[in-house]
Amino acid sequence: MKSKFNLSIIIILLIVTGCSESFLDNPPKGSFSEDVFYKTEDAGIKSVIGCYTPMLNHWDYQVMWYDVGNIITDDSNKGGSDAGDGIRKTEVGIGKPLPTNAMLNSLWAHRFNAIGTCNTALENITMETPLIHKGGTYVSDAEKARYIAEIKFLRGFYYYDLVTVFGGVPLITKTLSPEEKSTLTKASVEEIKTQILNDVKACIDEPNMPTSASLPEAEFGRITRDIANAFKARVHLFFGDYADAKDASWKVIETGTFELQSDYQELFNSYGNGFFSKESVFTILREYRPGYTGSSVIPQMNTGRNNLGGWGGDCPTPDLVDEYEVGDARLIHTVIQDQDEFMKNDGTIEVHNYTGYDNNTGYHSRKAYVPHQRRPDGGFWQVDWTFYLIRYSDVLLMYAESLLETGGDKQEVADYINMVRKRAFVTTSRVDSWAHKRQIVIPEVTEAEFEANYAVKATDDLSAAIKHERRVELGMEGLRYYDLIRWDDFVSTMNAFSKLPYANGKGSKVDDLTWPYPIPQTEIDRTGGSITQNPGYN
């Protein structure tokens, strides 16, 4: 098993950088603690780690990943104790949230605080800064150059979350004076996109940025050139720059560093064969340390309520379930159904009961569920669970899509789709190895049957095949929203979904002015209107 990037020192950085309700409330540059901090041992690497720290935020990053990526789409409903639990998600999902919506306001504030942390680090870590290691030796120029490139990537990564939800937002690449804060304006979508790609390019072009293959095991989880190329492909794909997306995704593929796990279920049931495997391109690492932190909140948040002890969030829809073909084993490893059974550590059977709370679909995410055998103390907070920011199968499908959209060879497109599909139908376990009894039955499919009946052909509608494949391969992983937006399918998909009996109004008010979503009213008021509201929310 690969070692985890050491995150224990983020506590120190949190004390130094702090957090605030709005990015406009960040402490001024040059504060005493900041001046002193960058002269202390390991200040450089602590600052770098501090730029990753926003990803460890339970609510505004990790839960938000699923709120935006799954819950406001046709893939899942919010769940929770009752209709009022998570009502702000409902408001966004219906399609016309108010500019005061707490979910969107939290996303805005969190990402701008993360960007502010990156900007502070970049202002204090320069090639001229005399940083020191623990023990008193100086940090080399090569290390400092890597730090800078790494932080720039993370700033671009956080900006992507903003532009894909709000469209144009303020472009902030330095610590602002009070006057600058009060007169902020929105940059255009194109300007934000350019900034993201410039930050990513700085990471890719940095000679001291390691590849994933050359990354020391003790640093697994830090940014690499391959991660930057994979994310670059995602950015270009979102904006329809297919030629650039094809080039960036191919750079990841041609390294030969990554590969698909043969059994899909392994991806979500262990660090060694899943989150740390060769299919893991970029993930958030968690490590239980008594007195410091536990696992991600997601297993607690998105496991069923009642006897199961979860909070009942993120309930897959029958619409998603129906997308899976007969024989596609990914289904049983993506959803759990009411009345499915799992064995507890004491030998008793746990029957999943999804009644009595706001779950009107009868499903929960299998990818978020941690079986009892992987819970050392029986709870959800000390488990080896995380989630993927980028998986290799995503890279393969990004390449297939961009190849198709640039007029590439259709047989090659089909071949890349089938790399992903073949695992689902042929080599993935038909059963849930951790379960006592599952109601979903997946029939066996031989390799010959796959080639004859399931393999995508060059003569098929390859665009439809890619859209289908992305939905079922990446189901419940927080990417559906971005696909629907970039395909320009969001309005039609959500309008159709709104008519389903379990939609609860979701999608009923989605129209061509739903996206981009409203700028928080607090930021418009704070700047006296120099930040303007998006169309449709005035």
Side-chain angles (χ1 to χ4, degrees):
M1 179 187 294
K2 295 182 179 177
S3 300
K4 301 178 181 72
F5 180 30
N6 188 348
L7 296 177
S8 63
I9 53 180
I10 66 171
I11 299 175
I12 299 172
L13 191 74
L14 285 170
I15 294 171
V16 173
T17 61
C19 60
S20 59
E21 293 183 358
S22 169
F23 74 98
L24 296 177
D25 294 326
N26 280 342
K29 178 182 177 183
S31 64
F32 175 77
S33 59
E34 186 176 296
D35 289 343
V36 171
F37 173 70
Y38 284 97
K39 296 175 183 177
T40 62
E41 294 183 351
D42 274 348
I45 190 61
K46 290 174 184 177
S47 291
V48 172
I49 293 172
C51 295
Y52 287 87
T53 301
M55 297 183 193
L56 300 181
N57 183 292
H58 286 307
W59 304 106
D60 296 335
Y61 194 86
Q62 300 200 13
V63 171
M64 191 73 72
W65 181 274
Y66 295 94
D67 288 350
V68 174
N70 293 346
I71 289 174
I72 67 172
T73 78
D74 55 341
D75 268 8
S76 73
N77 288 342
K78 72 171 185 65
S81 60
D82 53 41
D85 186 2
I87 189 66
R88 306 312 172 197
K89 304 173 191 181
T90 301
E91 295 170 356
V92 177
I94 288 172
K96 284 295 179 183
L98 295 173
T100 55
N101 180 272
M103 170 182 158
L104 296 175
N105 290 6
S106 294
L107 190 155
W108 173 286
H110 177 272
R111 298 308 188 274
F112 269 116
N113 278 322
I115 290 165
T117 298
C118 294
N119 287 338
T120 297
L122 289 170
E123 288 169 339
N124 286 278
I125 300 176
T126 69
M127 295 306 294
E128 293 74 33
T129 306
L131 299 171
I132 56 175
H133 286 299
K134 184 176 181 180
T137 60
Y138 282 104
V139 175
S140 69
D141 285 349
E143 289 174 289
K144 286 188 284 188
R146 180 186 174 191
Y147 291 169
I148 292 167
E150 198 168 2
I151 295 166
K152 285 184 176 181
F153 172 90
L154 290 167
R155 180 173 65 184
F157 192 77
Y158 296 129
Y159 255 120
Y160 177 80
D161 287 351
L162 289 168
V163 73
T164 53
V165 172
F166 299 105
V169 296
L171 180 54
I172 304 171
T173 57
K174 65 173 186 175
T175 302
L176 301 177
S177 69
E179 181 179 354
E180 288 171 322
K181 293 176 184 178
S182 66
T183 57
L184 278 173
T185 60
K186 291 192 300 185
S188 67
V189 170
E190 186 66 26
E191 289 170 324
I192 299 298
K193 167 190 162 185
T194 298
Q195 181 63 47
I196 293 169
L197 291 172
N198 284 343
D199 279 344
V200 173
K201 184 177 187 298
C203 180
I204 293 170
D205 291 348
E206 172 51 54
N208 296 291
M209 180 57 58
T211 64
S212 294
S214 66
L215 188 73
E217 286 193 347
E219 295 183 0
F220 183 76
R222 290 181 68 178
I223 304 303
T224 67
R225 185 173 293 111
D226 302 315
I227 290 172
N229 273 314
F231 178 63
K232 181 181 179 183
R234 177 175 288 176
V235 174
H236 279 304
L237 210 60
F238 184 85
F239 291 107
D241 306 328
Y242 293 108
D244 291 325
K246 177 171 71 72
D247 292 344
S249 53
W250 177 249
K251 283 185 170 70
V252 180
I253 295 169
E254 70 175 346
T255 66
T257 300
F258 305 97
E259 61 186 40
L260 298 176
Q261 286 291 91
S262 61
D263 190 343
Y264 187 79
Q265 77 165 325
E266 292 180 346
L267 292 168
F268 311 99
N269 286 290
S270 77
Y271 266 15
N273 293 324
F275 305 115
F276 283 8
S277 73
K278 285 194 172 182
E279 186 160 344
S280 179
V281 177
F282 187 23
T283 189
I284 296 174
L285 298 182
R286 303 297 305 227
E287 182 173 10
Y288 175 57
R289 298 182 178 197
Y292 158 49
T293 185
S295 177
S296 168
V297 72
I298 297 301
Q300 175 75 60
M301 183 74 182
N302 295 342
T303 293
R305 298 177 73 90
N306 301 323
N307 59 311
L308 307 175
W311 295 337
D314 202 11
C315 305
T317 63
D319 190 69
L320 171 62
V321 172
D322 291 344
E323 185 79 13
Y324 290 83
E325 302 157 81
V326 174
D328 187 340
R330 288 173 294 200
L331 175 59
I332 198 170
H333 306 300
T334 300
V335 304
I336 309 179
Q337 196 170 1
D338 180 54
Q339 298 303 303
D340 282 344
E341 299 177 2
F342 286 78
M343 190 69 71
K344 298 176 68 173
N345 291 329
D346 62 5
T348 61
I349 296 172
E350 174 185 81
V351 180
H352 283 230
N353 176 9
Y354 299 162
T355 63
Y357 59 100
D358 196 31
N359 182 338
N360 66 346
T361 71
Y363 296 103
H364 271 294
S365 172
R366 175 62 181 89
K367 293 176 179 178
Y369 176 71
V370 180
H372 287 268
Q373 296 90 331
R374 290 174 49 221
R375 304 183 210 168
D377 70 346
F380 294 108
W381 290 95
Q382 290 81 42
V383 297
D384 61 344
W385 189 95
T386 185
F387 64 96
Y388 298 97
L389 300 171
I390 306 176
R391 280 201 287 122
Y392 186 52
S393 61
D394 187 4
V395 175
L396 295 176
L397 293 174
M398 287 194 288
Y399 179 72
E401 182 175 351
S402 54
L403 182 64
L404 176 65
E405 295 293 338
T406 53
D409 181 73
K410 290 188 175 181
Q411 185 57 58
E412 186 180 2
V413 173
D415 289 344
Y416 274 91
I417 298 171
N418 286 328
M419 286 182 194
V420 178
R421 282 179 66 77
K422 187 174 182 179
R423 170 177 66 180
F425 285 89
V426 179
T427 64
T428 291
S429 173
R430 312 282 99 181
V431 299
D432 185 337
S433 299
W434 299 83
H436 178 259
K437 180 183 177 182
R438 295 292 308 274
Q439 297 164 86
I440 294 171
V441 177
I442 307 294
E444 293 288 341
V445 176
T446 66
E447 187 164 352
E449 288 171 332
F450 172 78
E451 295 297 336
N453 302 319
Y454 298 102
V456 171
K457 308 296 191 295
T459 54
D460 291 343
D461 182 342
L462 295 178
S463 179
I466 289 167
K467 289 181 178 183
H468 165 78
E469 203 60 28
R470 287 191 63 83
R471 190 179 189 192
V472 294
E473 171 66 20
L474 303 167
M476 299 304 293
E477 293 185 47
L479 298 177
R480 177 68 169 166
Y481 163 82
Y482 307 95
D483 283 345
L484 290 175
I485 292 290
R486 68 183 181 82
W487 289 329
D488 200 23
D489 287 345
F490 187 65
V491 175
S492 59
T493 297
M494 295 313 298
N495 287 168
F497 180 84
S498 71
K499 297 176 174 60
L500 297 173
Y502 45 82
N504 292 336
K506 185 164 65 173
S508 59
K509 294 184 179 180
V510 170
D511 60 25
D512 291 335
L513 293 179
T514 293
W515 188 89
Y517 285 94
I519 304 296
Q521 188 62 43
T522 53
E523 303 305 330
I524 294 172
D525 295 343
R526 199 186 299 268
T527 60
S530 61
I531 295 178
T532 57
Q533 188 54 270
N534 285 330
Y537 297 99
N538 291 311

